[in-house]
Amino acid sequence: MQRYFVEEDLLSEGQSVTLEGEIFHHVSRVMRMQSGQEIYLVGGNQVAYVAEINRIDDKMLQARLLRRVEENKELPVTTTLFVCLPKGDKFDLIAQKTTELGVDYIVPVASRYAITKWTSQKAGKKISRLQKICQQAAEQSHRTVIPQVLDLMTVDQVAKSLQAYDGLLIAFEETAKAGQHGQLKESLKAVQAGQHLAFFFGPEGGIHPDEVACLIQAGSHVKLCSLGPRILRAETAPLYALTALSYELEL
Amino acid sequence: MQRYFVEEDLLSEGQSVTLEGEIFHHVSRVMRMQSGQEIYLVGGNQVAYVAEINRIDDKMLQARLLRRVEENKELPVTTTLFVCLPKGDKFDLIAQKTTELGVDYIVPVASRYAITKWTSQKAGKKISRLQKICQQAAEQSHRTVIPQVLDLMTVDQVAKSLQAYDGLLIAFEETAKAGQHGQLKESLKAVQAGQHLAFFFGPEGGIHPDEVACLIQAGSHVKLCSLGPRILRAETAPLYALTALSYELEL
């Protein structure tokens, strides 16, 4: 069943919800749905209902909530990914796939070895695009939360923000090369439901030692970790980390 | 250091290796390397050496093995992925990413709900292309094995081949929808080093119940499993499964 996120809170059976703009266009023009057909709505309060379309006008449609759907599609922890700008369109893939894998916040990071640079003008467009990708992937993967793509940060700014998290795991190739593969599992096994866990991923060229030092100084909750013995591309590493989290906590 | 796979076995320090064709072109024209520079070679016997270029001619170059590199980049089990043909260029992504994640064999499968069809002529070209992607990804991720892309099979043929594996896990959306998320972890925890584990992934439209029945009948070593509570796209599921395997066995 087609799934849409709406801003208003969904509270009770019988509630009437008005759909306009992009959702209206998608339901009526792309899917060519008719009155009487059912869609799946997720409210701003992250509650999901099956709803029946009961009126379609030129620019809006109305749907009536039929029955609440109890489901648990979200990771038991909140997750933030700090992602140093990768090359080309790799960030699109990261946004789509990590949304499928349960991420909550994605923070683009400007780092020293990154070839890709965002001007402040470019950043706005890029972030809008990534946000759109997250929304579509959230609909497709049946999530009840749309991940948020936050503003571009520097590594210094990331370091200063780290008190907000229960843990930060930095994917670090040197840790992998040294054959020290145990930290990720150790950290994920210690995570408790309701905590907020963050991950940091470098760009293709890796993370500069000064940047690593800057992050590590933020506290003992910051750890370097390996993602296994093979060298993963910049866009594969975030997928690995979130899958590991899902495997540890959800399966 | 640039890494290349060669056919001949690499046996001892001082051995001279001749490089022609694509490797020659890449070393001399793309990387513009000179005599005296070092490259990384992996032999047909899956042994890796650092080698020094000691001669570059018009169409070939010679390198001398300097020192053996002891490394363990491969999963402790052999893995085969049966992948029903996904839409568009999604198979390219699957081949690249699962190579990074350690796959050994990839088998394209023609299934009932797949929109993509390969004619026998098309299959040859597609398989060559996927094989090339695997090779490049193997070089990039520092593997000592290049995964092999095998010929297109039908689901019936897959079912008949299943005695060759110690286990087959079928990623099945209905198992996930039923909230039964435990099988993957249970199976991966029971895997022993040296075993050969296979996975089966449906196309976008899912696996037909008759196909599931056909595979399940092959034996008690065939299991249905969930990849967590969210709906993963066809190309994300193989990445999830292999990451879970790596996390369980390598970290």
Side-chain angles (χ1 to χ4, degrees):
Chain A
M1 196 181 303
Q2 203 64 32
R3 172 178 283 244
Y4 302 98
F5 286 92
V6 298
E7 285 185 18
E8 85 184 79
D9 290 349
L10 303 185
L11 300 170
S12 60
E13 290 178 16
Q15 181 181 343
S16 182
V17 179
T18 301
L19 303 172
E20 303 171 293
E22 284 189 29
I23 299 180
F24 165 78
H25 178 80
H26 196 270
V27 172
S28 66
R29 305 283 187 261
V30 180
M31 301 302 292
R32 297 173 177 275
M33 296 185 83
Q34 308 286 333
S35 279
Q37 288 190 276
E38 293 181 359
I39 56 177
Y40 203 100
L41 297 179
V42 182
N45 54 347
Q46 299 173 16
V47 169
Y49 274 86
V50 171
E52 183 185 69
I53 299 167
N54 54 10
R55 184 173 150 194
I56 303 187
D57 289 344
D58 278 356
K59 291 194 169 177
M60 51 86 88
L61 62 85
Q62 279 192 327
R64 195 171 57 85
L65 303 190
L66 291 184
R67 56 185 183 277
R68 181 165 173 171
V69 185
E70 298 286 351
E71 48 181 18
N72 188 5
K73 301 287 190 185
E74 300 301 326
L75 281 163
V77 293
T78 305
T79 54
T80 290
L81 301 187
F82 293 104
V83 181
C84 295
L85 303 181
K87 287 192 213 167
D89 58 2
K90 301 297 184 189
F91 216 141
D92 293 0
L93 184 78
I94 293 171
Q96 183 189 73
K97 295 299 167 224
T98 59
T99 295
E100 290 176 58
L101 294 167
V103 72
D104 294 297
Y105 300 97
I106 299 174
V107 185
V109 178
S111 77
R112 211 179 299 191
Y113 288 152
I115 289 165
T116 301
K117 310 282 178 198
W118 286 0
T119 58
S120 57
Q121 195 186 7
K122 196 172 172 185
K125 283 184 192 169
K126 287 282 186 182
I127 289 166
S128 298
R129 176 183 167 79
L130 293 172
Q131 187 61 59
K132 184 90 187 164
I133 289 170
C134 287
Q135 175 169 342
Q136 289 168 345
E139 287 167 2
Q140 185 274 332
S141 58
H142 291 200
R143 292 196 50 185
T144 50
V145 173
I146 304 172
Q148 284 183 47
V149 183
L150 305 184
D151 283 344
L152 183 69
M153 291 175 83
T154 63
V155 176
D156 274 348
Q157 288 169 330
V158 173
K160 283 175 188 151
S161 78
L162 293 179
Q163 295 314 316
Y165 306 99
D166 295 296
L168 173 75
L169 288 159
I170 304 170
F172 195 48
E173 204 172 301
E174 298 306 316
T175 305
K177 281 183 184 164
Q180 295 162 357
H181 301 306
Q183 185 63 54
L184 180 66
K185 192 177 265 180
E186 185 183 324
S187 294
L188 297 188
K189 282 193 181 296
V191 165
Q192 288 165 25
Q195 287 190 330
H196 192 153
L197 189 61
F199 296 90
F200 189 98
F201 303 97
E204 284 79 1
I207 312 172
H208 190 282
D210 290 351
E211 293 173 327
V212 174
C214 173
L215 294 168
I216 285 285
Q217 279 169 13
S220 61
H221 65 313
V222 180
K223 309 275 190 196
L224 300 173
C225 73
S226 153
L227 303 177
R230 290 168 297 283
I231 305 297
L232 302 181
R233 288 181 200 232
E235 73 277 14
T236 314
L239 282 53
Y240 188 106
L242 273 179
T243 301
L245 185 64
S246 163
Y247 179 77
E248 187 60 52
L249 300 184
E250 297 185 310
L251 298 198
Chain B
M1 196 181 302
Q2 203 64 34
R3 171 178 284 244
Y4 302 98
F5 286 91
V6 297
E7 286 185 17
E8 85 183 79
D9 290 348
L10 303 185
L11 300 170
S12 59
E13 291 177 17
Q15 182 181 343
S16 182
V17 179
T18 301
L19 303 172
E20 303 170 293
E22 284 189 30
I23 299 179
F24 165 77
H25 178 79
H26 197 270
V27 173
S28 65
R29 303 286 188 259
V30 180
M31 301 302 293
R32 298 174 176 275
M33 296 186 82
Q34 309 287 331
S35 278
Q37 289 190 278
E38 293 183 358
I39 56 177
Y40 203 101
L41 297 178
V42 182
N45 54 345
Q46 299 172 16
V47 169
Y49 273 85
V50 171
E52 182 184 71
I53 300 167
N54 54 11
R55 184 174 150 192
I56 303 186
D57 288 344
D58 278 355
K59 292 194 168 177
M60 52 85 87
L61 63 85
Q62 279 192 326
R64 194 172 57 88
L65 303 190
L66 291 184
R67 57 186 181 276
R68 182 166 173 171
V69 184
E70 297 287 351
E71 49 180 20
N72 187 5
K73 301 287 189 185
E74 299 301 326
L75 281 163
V77 294
T78 304
T79 54
T80 289
L81 302 187
F82 294 103
V83 181
C84 295
L85 303 181
K87 287 192 213 167
D89 57 2
K90 300 298 184 189
F91 216 142
D92 293 0
L93 184 77
I94 294 170
Q96 184 189 72
K97 295 300 167 222
T98 59
T99 296
E100 290 175 57
L101 294 167
V103 72
D104 294 298
Y105 300 96
I106 298 175
V107 186
V109 178
S111 77
R112 210 177 301 190
Y113 288 152
I115 290 165
T116 301
K117 310 281 178 200
W118 287 359
T119 58
S120 57
Q121 195 186 6
K122 196 172 173 185
K125 282 184 193 170
K126 288 282 186 182
I127 289 165
S128 298
R129 176 183 166 80
L130 292 172
Q131 188 61 60
K132 184 89 187 167
I133 288 170
C134 288
Q135 176 170 340
Q136 288 168 345
E139 288 168 0
Q140 184 274 331
S141 59
H142 291 200
R143 292 196 50 185
T144 49
V145 173
I146 304 173
Q148 283 183 48
V149 183
L150 306 184
D151 283 344
L152 183 69
M153 291 175 83
T154 64
V155 176
D156 275 348
Q157 288 170 329
V158 173
K160 283 175 188 150
S161 78
L162 292 180
Q163 296 313 317
Y165 306 98
D166 295 296
L168 174 75
L169 287 159
I170 304 171
F172 194 47
E173 204 172 300
E174 299 304 318
T175 305
K177 282 183 183 164
Q180 295 162 356
H181 301 306
Q183 185 63 54
L184 180 66
K185 192 178 265 181
E186 187 182 313
S187 293
L188 297 188
K189 282 193 181 297
V191 165
Q192 287 165 26
Q195 287 190 329
H196 192 153
L197 189 62
F199 296 89
F200 189 98
F201 303 97
E204 284 80 2
I207 311 172
H208 190 282
D210 290 352
E211 293 173 328
V212 174
C214 173
L215 295 168
I216 285 285
Q217 280 170 13
S220 61
H221 65 313
V222 180
K223 308 276 190 195
L224 301 173
C225 73
S226 153
L227 303 177
R230 290 168 298 281
I231 307 297
L232 302 181
R233 289 180 200 233
E235 75 276 14
T236 314
L239 282 52
Y240 188 106
L242 274 179
T243 300
L245 185 64
S246 164
Y247 179 77
E248 187 60 54
L249 300 184
E250 296 185 311
L251 298 199

